[in-house]
Amino acid sequence: DTIHDFHQRIEAAITSRNKKKGQAPTIPGMKYRIVGKVYVAQQYLPWQQAVLKQMKSAYEQGNGSFPENKALLAELSKQPEIKPHMKKAMSFAQYMKEEAGRRGAAALELSTPFDEIALLESNRVYLMKSLEMEEFTILPSSKADAKLQDQCHPGQPVGTFQSEEKPHVKVTMINSQPKLPHFTVRIPVFDNESVLALARRLAKQDGYMNSAQQVTLYRYEDIVSGTRHIPSIEKPLGGRVAIPARGTFSLNEDVTGLIFRETGDNPPPIPVGDTLCYSVA
């Protein structure tokens, strides 16, 4: 259900973009990408908790069934925490009745028996692949607006997505590790993109990685002649320097290659060209 909801929201973002700007970017060096924010509720809102407590009591008294809506509405309206939110409360109660019909009494619990944020993080690469997203941020529901907070429940994260146009260059990513199913690929790198974001995109496209944490990126010591040297089996990463995990890539002046800057106080810019290497742990 969550992935289906995310798909629908992404389709809406793409449709909105196409209506405003046409089907494809018209500026050279620009590319559309889907980015999003996923909000996770650690607990229900106070009025929702009151609704669930009342519903659970009614469910138990009814031996696994609820009273008619009119009777349930009357009970809910007696609760001071619920009364100011009655219009939303009935919609919420109807939704939770349907969930209880599918999942039983567990649907009426006030929290989930698992860590939702950890679950989303462990499935980040899968979600990016299946939803064709470039990047998404996981945030607590308290960071969302009031409307989204009403929609976001424990066990039901809510996503907001947008299709944005950003300058990029196509970069060749080379893997020289022998006897591993990783190959040379070309992927877009966007302006002001983090090393981690690039590693995630690489893991998403590679198909044999479960996490961006497996990836180490490398640049050539000599970006002019380095790509012409054939790597040896003994030293597959010879002539290459590991790129620190904390840093960002920007586009060079003519948008043909990348410049890397490590996170810190006034780090020197390092030209890295349009070809990088990677290893997989």
Side-chain angles (χ1 to χ4, degrees):
D1 289 350
T2 297
I3 292 182
H4 177 67
D5 177 64
F6 287 178
H7 266 299
Q8 289 184 318
R9 291 175 185 266
I10 288 172
E11 286 297 323
I14 294 172
T15 300
S16 175
R17 176 203 77 193
N18 290 343
K19 285 181 180 178
K20 291 179 181 178
K21 295 187 177 181
Q23 293 292 326
T26 55
I27 304 173
M30 301 294 279
K31 180 182 175 67
Y32 286 125
R33 66 177 194 164
I34 299 295
V35 296
K37 295 178 180 178
V38 175
Y39 296 99
V40 176
Q42 302 288 350
Q43 60 183 9
Y44 286 94
L45 297 174
W47 68 265
Q48 293 173 335
Q49 293 183 35
V51 170
L52 287 173
K53 289 175 182 177
Q54 186 64 43
M55 290 183 69
K56 187 174 183 179
S57 175
Y59 187 79
E60 290 172 348
Q61 291 177 19
N63 294 319
S65 63
F66 293 102
E68 294 295 325
N69 283 348
K70 187 175 181 180
L72 182 60
L73 174 61
E75 290 300 318
L76 293 178
S77 64
K78 296 177 183 177
Q79 306 298 319
E81 304 97 324
I82 301 174
K83 201 167 184 178
H85 307 279
M86 278 306 299
K87 187 174 181 180
K88 293 186 291 186
M90 275 313 297
S91 297
F92 177 67
Q94 183 59 40
Y95 170 76
M96 295 311 299
K97 280 179 69 174
E98 294 169 2
E99 285 294 293
R102 291 195 308 118
R103 297 163 45 206
L108 305 176
E109 295 296 331
L110 297 182
S111 61
T112 58
F114 57 88
D115 186 332
E116 283 187 72
I117 293 178
L119 182 63
L120 287 167
E121 283 291 0
S122 66
N123 287 279
R124 180 182 283 275
V125 170
Y126 166 75
L127 289 169
M128 289 171 63
K129 286 180 181 177
S130 61
L131 297 172
E132 298 183 356
M133 271 192 298
E134 290 292 345
E135 189 58 68
F136 68 92
T137 306
I138 302 172
L139 297 166
S141 58
S142 58
K143 299 290 186 181
D145 60 35
K147 184 177 179 180
L148 285 177
Q149 287 187 40
D150 285 342
Q151 299 173 21
C152 191
H153 314 142
Q156 185 184 332
V158 172
T160 61
F161 304 94
Q162 64 182 39
S163 175
E164 63 179 21
E165 190 178 30
K166 289 198 71 175
H168 79 292
V169 295
K170 282 274 193 176
V171 173
T172 301
M173 307 291 295
I174 300 172
N175 181 273
S176 303
Q177 292 172 282
K179 300 180 181 180
L180 289 179
H182 307 291
F183 306 99
T184 297
V185 295
R186 280 179 60 77
I187 60 176
V189 180
F190 296 90
D191 197 28
N192 294 320
E193 184 159 61
S194 70
V195 172
L196 180 58
L198 176 54
R200 285 172 177 162
R201 184 174 306 110
L202 179 61
K204 168 188 167 186
Q205 184 163 327
D206 177 86
Y208 291 97
M209 290 183 249
N210 296 319
S211 169
Q213 305 299 328
Q214 297 174 258
V215 179
T216 302
L217 302 180
Y218 298 83
R219 62 179 176 84
Y220 284 97
E221 289 181 307
D222 184 340
I223 64 173
V224 176
S225 62
T227 57
R228 301 172 193 164
H229 295 161
I230 299 174
S232 68
I233 295 178
E234 293 79 14
K235 294 183 178 181
L237 294 171
R240 300 161 214 197
V241 179
I243 295 175
R246 294 178 60 82
T248 57
F249 296 101
S250 57
L251 309 187
N252 62 15
E253 190 171 343
D254 56 0
V255 196
T256 58
L258 300 176
I259 295 171
F260 173 75
R261 285 183 175 85
E262 187 174 359
T263 301
D265 295 330
N266 299 317
I270 302 174
V272 298
D274 63 357
T275 303
L276 298 175
C277 301
Y278 70 98
S279 66
V280 181

